[in-house]
Amino acid sequence: MKALVYRGPGNKALEDRPKPELQSPGDAIVKVTKTTICGTDLHILKGDVATCAPGRILGHEGVGVIDSVGAGVTALRPGDHVLISCISACGKCDYCRRGMYSHCTTGGWVLGNEIDGTQAEYVRILHADTSLYPIPPGADEEPLVMLSDILPTGFECGVLNGKVAPGSTVAIVGAGPIGLAALLTAQFYSPAEIIMVDLDDNRLEVARGFGATRTIKNGDGSAVEHVKALTGGRGVDAAIEAVGVPSTFLLCQDLVGPGGIIANVGVHGTKVDLHLETLWSRNIAITTRLVDTVTTPMLLKTVQSKKLEPKGLITHRFRLGQIVDAYDTFAHAASTRALKVIIDA
């Protein structure tokens, strides 16, 4: 089969690889129909994710059709159409019983990280019964790919951890796919203001179309001044960091108001300063989280019922044989205007 392989920092290649085989009774082999590229894949290529070794097939998102299942799989059978979760969960360990699937002792975020991932024609899925979600044949698969990772990530790590509430004020720093996913799902809770902060005019325009009440281009560093003016000098109730670089986390520290929450979503590859000298007395909470995908069933229902429309996040489409070009397009989003790219496998 064809697969996109990580070859070390800054190096990747489309290669021929053997089709994966079942290795344990709970496994399933899925024929991938559509997958995508995540910002985390770019972090891997930068060398930010030490657990991902050279030689790994990348990718942790997608939809497909069951090709074969192990003897222990009871809820799925060959031919079933499924959504692949970015998190593999046994459903039995202590962490899974606490709803922390991301820390499953025999799973977690392993796809495209510790085991081969979804940017290939076939993928082996651990704990298939609890890591795959059936979808009806004939469903529009493209928007469902957004449910593998970015929608539950934006919702759980940003909106839920940020305790977005009716009438609250929210600032989302970063109008990339994850920030836009947080924007879409924050509207479940009817906040009074959702302020999107970014450097890119195109992404801010998209954010306005997705429901942002205010957008701020922070090229001149004026975001704090603008947000303070919008909030009567207080700052926001929830500052959601959706980039993963030191400057945006520092910005969230300046944007959050007394009693507020900084909800970190971004993947950080370098150290970040924490200014406790200014935060210690302001009743600020800081949350971190790796997505658990516990909300995936709910989000799947909202997408299927058209209450949530994530298809607008998709800007480019490629075949698997073009995936190196797709990476180039995704990595240069400022010039290509890329948000999510769909790879037809």
Side-chain angles (χ1 to χ4, degrees):
M1 68 172 186
K2 296 292 185 183
L4 192 284
V5 179
Y6 171 57
R7 283 294 170 202
N11 193 4
K12 61 187 179 298
L14 184 65
E15 298 182 4
D16 287 310
R17 283 295 188 91
K19 179 182 172 182
E21 298 179 351
L22 298 169
Q23 296 182 21
S24 68
D27 287 354
I29 305 300
V30 177
K31 180 176 176 59
V32 179
T33 54
K34 295 186 188 298
T35 183
T36 186
I37 302 169
C38 180
T40 307
D41 297 322
L42 300 184
H43 279 282
I44 290 173
L45 287 170
K46 291 177 183 177
D48 290 345
V49 183
T51 50
C52 187
R56 180 70 61 228
I57 296 173
L58 294 183
H60 51 266
E61 302 164 271
V63 296
V65 180
I66 299 286
D67 180 72
S68 60
V69 296
V73 177
T74 60
L76 301 163
R77 61 185 181 183
D80 286 349
H81 292 245
V82 290
L83 166 70
I84 301 167
S85 175
C86 66
I87 299 296
S88 301
C90 73
K92 299 175 182 178
C93 70
D94 180 62
Y95 287 118
C96 284
R97 287 177 179 273
R98 292 160 59 191
M100 294 175 62
Y101 299 159
S102 61
H103 292 274
C104 174
T105 56
T106 54
W109 175 42
V110 292
L111 276 176
N113 176 18
E114 297 178 25
I115 66 172
D116 287 337
T118 59
Q119 290 170 11
E121 294 180 79
Y122 292 89
V123 62
R124 179 176 69 94
I125 301 297
L126 308 181
H127 308 307
D129 276 338
T130 44
S131 304
L132 297 171
Y133 297 87
I135 57 177
D140 186 355
E141 293 181 337
E142 287 192 348
L144 297 183
V145 176
M146 306 301 108
L147 290 168
S148 289
D149 184 354
I150 65 165
L151 279 172
T153 295
F155 184 50
E156 294 174 13
C157 306
V159 177
L160 294 185
N161 269 17
K163 296 185 179 179
V164 175
S168 63
T169 55
V170 182
I172 301 172
V173 179
I178 289 290
L180 293 172
L183 167 62
L184 286 170
T185 53
Q187 294 171 71
F188 291 161
Y189 296 98
S190 301
E193 293 276 7
I194 308 178
I195 306 162
M196 186 67 75
V197 182
D198 201 277
L199 300 174
D200 186 272
D201 288 321
N202 174 63
R203 291 190 166 190
L204 291 174
E205 182 181 350
V206 173
R208 287 191 289 273
F210 280 7
T213 58
R214 310 273 183 169
T215 58
I216 298 173
K217 184 176 181 180
N218 196 38
D220 59 358
S222 62
V224 175
E225 178 185 346
H226 284 301
V227 168
K228 290 294 179 69
L230 290 170
T231 57
R234 293 186 300 274
V236 296
D237 300 308
I240 298 174
E241 197 287 326
V243 182
V245 297
S247 61
T248 52
F249 188 80
L250 289 170
L251 177 58
C252 285
Q253 294 179 55
D254 293 331
L255 295 177
V256 69
I261 297 174
I262 299 171
N264 183 80
V265 188
V267 177
H268 289 270
T270 58
K271 69 181 183 71
V272 177
D273 290 331
L274 177 63
H275 287 293
L276 281 177
E277 74 277 11
T278 58
L279 296 178
W280 72 271
S281 64
R282 297 172 60 202
N283 296 45
I284 303 299
I286 299 173
T287 65
T288 67
R289 186 172 182 174
L290 182 59
V291 63
D292 293 302
T293 68
V294 291
T295 63
T296 298
M298 179 276 286
L299 293 169
L300 182 57
K301 291 176 183 177
T302 62
V303 171
Q304 289 177 320
S305 66
K306 307 297 184 183
K307 301 294 185 183
L308 182 62
E309 297 276 9
K311 194 165 185 173
L313 291 165
I314 301 166
T315 55
H316 294 74
R317 292 166 177 84
F318 298 86
R319 303 286 296 179
L320 182 60
Q322 303 169 304
I323 193 168
V324 173
D325 294 332
Y327 262 90
D328 188 60
T329 297
F330 184 68
H332 295 90
S335 59
T336 63
R337 297 193 170 191
L339 291 173
K340 290 297 282 185
V341 301
I342 288 289
I343 313 297
D344 189 336

